Amino acid sequence: MKQVLVLNSGSSSIKYQLLDMTSHAVLVSGTLEGIGEEKSKLTHKITGAQTVTTEQVVPDIAAGFDLVTSTFERNGGMPTELVAVGHRVAQGGDKFTGATLMDDDAIAEVESMASLAPLHTPSNAAGIRLARKIYPDVPQVAVFDTAFHSTMPARAYRYALPTEISERLHIRRYGFHGTSHGYVFHQAAEYLGGDPSALKMVTLHLGNGASLAAVDGGRSIDTSMGMTPLEGLVMGTRSGDLDPAVVLYLQRVGGLSVDEVDELLNRKSGLKGLTGSNDSREVCAMAEAGDQAAIDAMEIFSYRICKYVGAYAVALGRLDALVFTAGIGENSVEFRAQICAGLGIFGVKLDPERNAVRSGEVRTISAPDSAVPVIVAPTNEELEIAQQALAVATAGH
Ligand code: ADP
């Protein structure tokens, strides 16, 4: 039995999964939230056995790793045949175009890009260093959210800024959620039974963070997030696309500081800014009850997505499938219906009964005579990270 431990070390949380790579079963999963806050909570779940919850103060990520390790030791679920640790890393810049074995030089390279993702990179890198101390003989592999989009052509990833400035400051579109876009493209291709290299799809990852990707034969040719996850769609708390002059106006006329604008656009905008809630379920319920702000928010959210699908259909030249995934994409009957209603130009026709089905399986929600099949494919970023980590760890063996 081969096992891979998947780690997502964030600024205030550590998420982990231990997977059996033969059956793909999750053996242990856990989340430690609230690192650096007044109280942190760890939930450690051993499949088929008990779930342990611990609450205590966890001042930093190192203390978080200590707590997770001691919880494994005390409550069971310890890896017995660990062949790799797969780390989710948000930003791979223009250096990392695929999953990479993390030695001293590679970790330093990840850390050198901290200014591109100051919220994520320091904790991602710290997680790799800490896991290396705990498992010095197990390959540590970084899987980057950006890597899948490294195949974008220059016309898609460049901004029209002076070249010297873009190059000096590494300003370009990187895209995120790559692990998920790649995973659901292949899930949908397998489901449709076609040759993946011949399929052109738009994948819609709609969670709290949200992005679309134009995927041509398994390669990303465009995606809606940019240099940071702020660009593109309306999200739970992010504005997505804006006239960049709004940022200047907020400072010059609105009197906001740089940090306040950052906070406003990343944490107080999107569905939350429009309705007061970033939870799509609450927004739907409010809209159903006739709340005009919620009705408008759903339209703004869906219209933005439809515009991107139109743009990506042009980029791809043909649309073989639309693939919904993540919290909203997998579950929200209402949002999927509203988005598909805006795509009549492509002959998209939703089947309301199929759309209403709740399931964890890959499934079709479009009508038999829809010109483009609409698929729901549950994402599984942990499994994809584990598979990529295993492939890198065992390459050449
Ligand atoms: P994250 O980006 O934090 O991983 P998720 O992929 O979990 O986010 O998506 C969160 C969003 O998914 C929220 O807007 C939430 O309302 C929505 N969501 C989650 N489960 C359901 C559900 N069963 N029905 C409708 N919406 C759901």
Side-chain angles (χ1 to χ4, degrees):
M1 186 166 81
K2 285 184 176 141
Q3 298 173 339
V4 174
L5 179 65
V6 176
L7 281 173
N8 184 352
S9 312
S11 55
S12 67
S13 69
I14 300 169
K15 294 185 187 133
Y16 54 92
Q17 264 194 19
L18 180 66
L19 290 122
D20 170 351
M21 298 311 290
T22 310
S23 65
H24 294 169
V26 177
L27 304 172
V28 184
S29 62
T31 307
L32 171 63
E33 285 172 314
I35 297 174
E37 289 165 22
E38 265 170 41
K39 203 171 240 171
S40 316
K41 185 175 171 187
L42 172 67
T43 309
H44 180 81
K45 186 175 172 198
I46 304 169
T47 305
Q50 81 277 32
T51 297
V52 188
T53 313
T54 316
E55 283 193 8
Q56 66 180 69
V57 179
V58 179
D60 54 29
I61 187 169
F65 267 72
D66 285 344
L67 177 61
V68 171
T69 309
S70 62
T71 304
F72 264 104
E73 284 165 358
R74 238 181 295 127
N75 298 285
M78 282 284 272
T80 48
E81 311 207 18
L82 197 61
V83 291
V85 180
H87 296 268
R88 179 177 187 172
V89 178
Q91 178 56 273
D94 38 24
K95 306 254 167 56
F96 295 101
T97 58
T100 306
L101 193 64
M102 289 286 111
D103 55 15
D104 287 331
D105 289 348
I107 298 174
E109 192 87 73
V110 169
E111 285 170 334
S112 76
M113 293 181 299
S115 55
L116 283 175
L119 224 57
H120 294 105
T121 300
S123 42
N124 292 164
I128 301 171
R129 288 193 186 280
L130 289 161
R132 243 179 136 206
K133 272 197 199 144
I134 300 169
Y135 297 112
D137 301 324
V138 177
Q140 308 288 324
V141 180
V143 179
F144 300 91
D145 276 6
T146 49
F148 179 66
H149 302 299
S150 64
T151 49
M152 282 194 285
R155 62 176 181 267
Y157 75 68
R158 286 197 63 184
Y159 293 115
L161 291 170
T163 305
E164 185 276 324
I165 291 181
S166 296
E167 286 181 353
R168 179 159 49 85
L169 296 173
H170 305 281
I171 300 173
R172 51 160 283 178
R173 308 183 61 256
Y174 294 102
F176 297 86
H177 293 145
T179 310
S180 178
H181 286 294
Y183 179 79
V184 299
F185 170 87
H186 287 286
Q187 288 289 108
E190 195 181 318
Y191 172 81
L192 290 168
D195 171 9
S197 67
L199 289 169
K200 295 171 187 276
M201 301 187 203
V202 174
T203 48
L204 301 91
H205 178 108
L206 310 178
N208 214 0
S211 67
L212 257 60
V215 188
D216 190 346
R219 294 163 65 86
S220 171
I221 62 162
D222 208 342
T223 192
S224 59
M225 283 179 168
M227 176 168 147
T228 79
L230 185 55
E231 190 178 341
L233 306 181
V234 177
M235 309 184 206
T237 62
R238 295 190 191 112
S239 63
D241 291 340
L242 283 176
D243 177 345
V246 171
V247 175
L248 309 176
Y249 186 85
L250 284 166
Q251 292 173 75
R252 287 187 184 133
V253 180
L256 273 67
S257 68
V258 172
D259 285 345
E260 285 166 344
V261 174
D262 189 340
E263 172 89 0
L264 176 75
L265 300 182
N266 277 298
R267 301 203 173 270
K268 296 182 178 164
S269 296
L271 293 177
K272 188 173 181 65
L274 293 166
T275 69
S277 171
N278 63 319
D279 188 320
S280 69
R281 280 167 289 199
E282 286 179 21
V283 177
C284 280
M286 285 191 273
E288 249 165 58
D291 181 294
Q292 194 57 47
I295 293 169
D296 292 347
M298 286 187 73
E299 281 183 11
I300 298 166
F301 183 97
S302 303
Y303 177 67
R304 181 87 51 90
I305 291 172
C306 291
K307 285 206 295 188
Y308 268 96
V309 173
Y312 290 171
V314 172
L316 290 165
R318 194 181 75 228
L319 214 46
D320 294 324
L322 290 170
V323 188
F324 281 99
T325 196
I328 297 171
E330 290 169 31
N331 298 298
S332 180
V333 176
E334 297 86 353
F335 272 100
R336 287 193 307 242
Q338 190 158 24
I339 293 161
C340 289
L343 297 172
I345 183 88
F346 300 110
V348 169
K349 232 194 250 177
L350 209 60
D351 179 325
E353 274 176 30
R354 287 176 170 178
N355 186 35
V357 171
R358 297 208 165 273
S359 152
E361 302 290 310
V362 185
R363 59 198 186 272
T364 303
I365 57 169
S366 48
D369 60 341
S370 180
V372 180
V374 183
I375 314 278
V376 175
T379 194
N380 192 342
E381 288 165 287
E382 290 79 11
L383 176 59
E384 178 66 23
I385 290 170
Q387 285 177 323
Q388 292 191 24
L390 179 66
V392 169
T394 53
H397 282 241

